[in-house]
Amino acid sequence: MAAKAVILHAALLAAAFVAAPAFAQTNDPNLSQTQVDCLNRTTAAGAGCDKNNGTKNGGSAPGDGTAAGGAVSLPALIVDLFPNPPAGASPQTPAPSNGTSGGSANTPAPPPTPSGPVTVPQGLNLAEPPRAITGEFVPDEVLVTVDGDAGTVQQIANSFGLQVRSQRQSRLLGTTLVRFGITDGRPVGVVLAQLAADGRTQRREPNHIYTLQQAAGIVNYAFDRITLDASQASGENVRVAVIDTGIDDTNPALAGVIAQQFDAMPNVPIEKRDHGTSVDGLIAGVGPLEGMAPGAKIYHARAFEGGKSTMDVILSALDWAAEQDVRIINMSFVGPENDLLGSACRNARALGIVLVAAAGNNGPKAPYGYPAAFDGVIAVTATDAKDGLMPQANRGAYVFISAPGVEMVAPSGAGSDVVTGTSFAAAIVSGAIANLIHAAPDRSADDIEKALAATAKDLGPKGRDNDFGYGLLDTKAAEAAK
């Protein structure tokens, strides 16, 4: 009876935790078929499921779109993040872009060869190939920090019937980060509840999914709007890390810009390079598509494919960035709150790194977007050429500052494109901060954040507000601020 109560309690926790309806599965041989059916929501309209099996408290009918307690669940993100073609199948060739990237419509150009060194992460060898993901987190994985060595990790896996899919020492978390696979169909919430009872596990989180923040797809008006003199703009020798998609480093706008590259998902073929190319170009591009901080050195971590990434991949990219002695980390992506990501951001900020993130493009009623909503992260929203707010921008008390991000020309693939989104507004802010650091290398992250807030041009209601934050970035005033 005790074993049955533990499993039923875990099922309740799972129902309250998972954002979309999920079947609660169990291996308990003592449960009757009726109780199993109730846990799996297979009895008609829940009839015959009494309070003892827990299915009437917080449960939801499949497909009702609501979570326990009446909370509204986020829309499912159906993503082919990790293409895994059948054995013997020929790899599919990406369709040609509609942008200005050259090449024949019938014969796509071969992918460019990176011009700079590309680092492959260590300790990420997978026990099984990644595959398609549906939802706001990977449905059969959990991320756990462990107090112990590889032997301890394997003992935990054996104790809880889990598979060790990857493990590595995280610099920013200061401990061993393990990605455990769930091979028997247990819901993520159940496994997290079970692991919580083991003192060798320190933190336990879902492997959340994050999305890049590009909204729509003339001359770059950002220089004028943020009072940055294009002829004097410089981020010379300032190190800026960008966590994004792969890039086309043969684009002329990135010539000499990329100091080093890191691939946090080496087992996933690169198909999309536009978003990362645009972000890098807006920060430090050269030539006709000059960025905000020409001369800055970009340390680019590829952590996204198909617009999506997972928490363990992003943490790997953040650790690498912290090891490159960068002054700024640009994070043009949004996802749910995750304690591991929050800790990594706090520790990066403690190292003196300025963290800049997109506020999100999910609309005025969207939940807070992370990492932007963490303390110590500069959350950037997007405005247009007339300082109007991008309609699809997230709102909230976490929004820190506004910057141009609507219909701007930016490098994209092998050419250029008109881009819109808080992703690109974040890149503008990262470039502006690189200018501030170039002018005063000893300026701390705290000083920079205070200067941006104190000198921003107020756009909404007086003072900081949920739409524009402190207001429009004013680089000239921020540079002069003491």
Side-chain angles (χ1 to χ4, degrees), residues 132 275 335 434:
H275 193 278

Side-chain angles (χ1 to χ4, degrees), residues 75-455:
L77 302 174
I78 301 177
V79 185
D80 188 11
L81 175 57
F82 299 113
N84 189 21
S90 300
Q92 294 183 349
T93 303
S97 169
N98 293 327
T100 55
S101 306
S104 165
N106 297 323
T107 307
T113 301
S115 60
V118 178
T119 305
V120 176
Q122 302 299 314
L124 292 180
N125 294 327
L126 303 177
E128 66 176 30
R131 75 280 176 268
I133 293 174
T134 301
E136 67 169 308
F137 52 82
V138 184
D140 65 345
E141 291 182 355
V142 291
L143 296 182
V144 181
T145 55
V146 172
D147 182 13
D149 57 13
T152 303
V153 170
Q154 191 58 56
Q155 289 172 9
I156 294 172
N158 294 341
S159 298
F160 293 93
L162 301 172
Q163 179 188 58
V164 180
R165 292 186 176 168
S166 69
Q167 58 181 301
R168 64 183 181 83
Q169 185 67 25
S170 169
R171 177 182 179 183
L172 290 176
L173 297 178
T175 187
T176 300
L177 177 65
V178 185
R179 182 164 58 99
F180 285 117
I182 307 168
T183 60
D184 58 5
R186 281 172 293 168
V188 165
V190 169
V191 174
L192 292 175
Q194 292 170 339
L195 288 169
D198 192 310
R200 296 169 296 180
T201 68
Q202 299 166 321
R203 294 178 180 174
R204 300 148 298 275
E205 290 283 345
N207 192 6
H208 280 123
I209 297 169
Y210 291 73
T211 60
L212 294 169
Q213 295 299 288
Q214 177 170 348
I218 159 174
V219 169
N220 192 336
Y221 58 88
F223 283 102
D224 176 62
R225 301 316 306 154
I226 67 170
T227 64
L228 178 61
D229 187 340
S231 65
Q232 297 183 19
S234 175
E236 186 175 3
N237 295 325
V238 177
R239 296 185 172 204
V240 182
V242 174
I243 299 175
D244 216 284
T245 68
I247 58 171
D248 180 1
D249 54 8
T250 67
N251 190 303
L254 299 186
V257 171
I258 309 300
Q260 194 169 341
Q261 294 186 58
F262 171 79
D263 193 344
M265 45 200 317
N267 295 325
V268 182
I270 299 178
E271 296 184 1
K272 299 294 184 182
R273 304 172 186 267
D274 293 339
H275 193 278
T277 302
S278 295
V279 169
D280 286 2
L282 287 170
I283 293 173
V286 296
L289 296 176
E290 186 175 68
M292 299 294 103
K297 296 302 180 185
I298 299 293
Y299 289 76
H300 189 96
R302 180 245 180 167
F304 283 81
E305 192 56 59
K308 298 290 187 291
S309 187
T310 57
M311 188 72 276
D312 61 314
V313 171
I314 292 171
L315 287 171
S316 175
L318 277 169
D319 276 326
W320 175 80
E323 292 168 357
Q324 309 312 307
D325 194 28
V326 299
R327 295 294 306 274
I328 304 164
I329 297 179
N330 187 93
M331 300 177 286
S332 290
F333 53 86
V334 158
E337 183 177 9
N338 185 292
D339 183 56
L340 297 175
L341 180 59
S343 294
C345 288
R346 285 191 298 273
N347 293 337
R349 180 61 181 264
L351 293 174
I353 300 173
V354 182
L355 303 173
V356 180
N361 303 335
N362 298 314
K365 296 182 180 180
Y368 282 15
Y370 293 86
F374 286 124
D375 289 341
V377 179
I378 296 173
V380 184
T381 193
T383 52
D384 59 24
K386 296 182 179 180
D387 300 338
L389 187 67
M390 185 181 78
Q392 60 268 53
N394 285 33
R395 315 292 206 274
Y398 72 99
V399 175
F400 186 84
I401 203 162
S402 307
V406 178
E407 295 184 350
M408 295 189 301
V409 174
S412 178
S416 62
D417 204 351
V418 176
V419 298
T420 293
T422 57
S423 274
F424 309 113
I428 296 299
V429 172
S430 291
I433 292 172
N435 278 267
L436 300 181
I437 293 174
H438 170 70
D442 294 335
R443 208 165 193 178
S444 71
D446 287 344
D447 288 341
I448 289 170
E449 182 176 314
K450 291 174 183 177
L452 295 180
T455 60

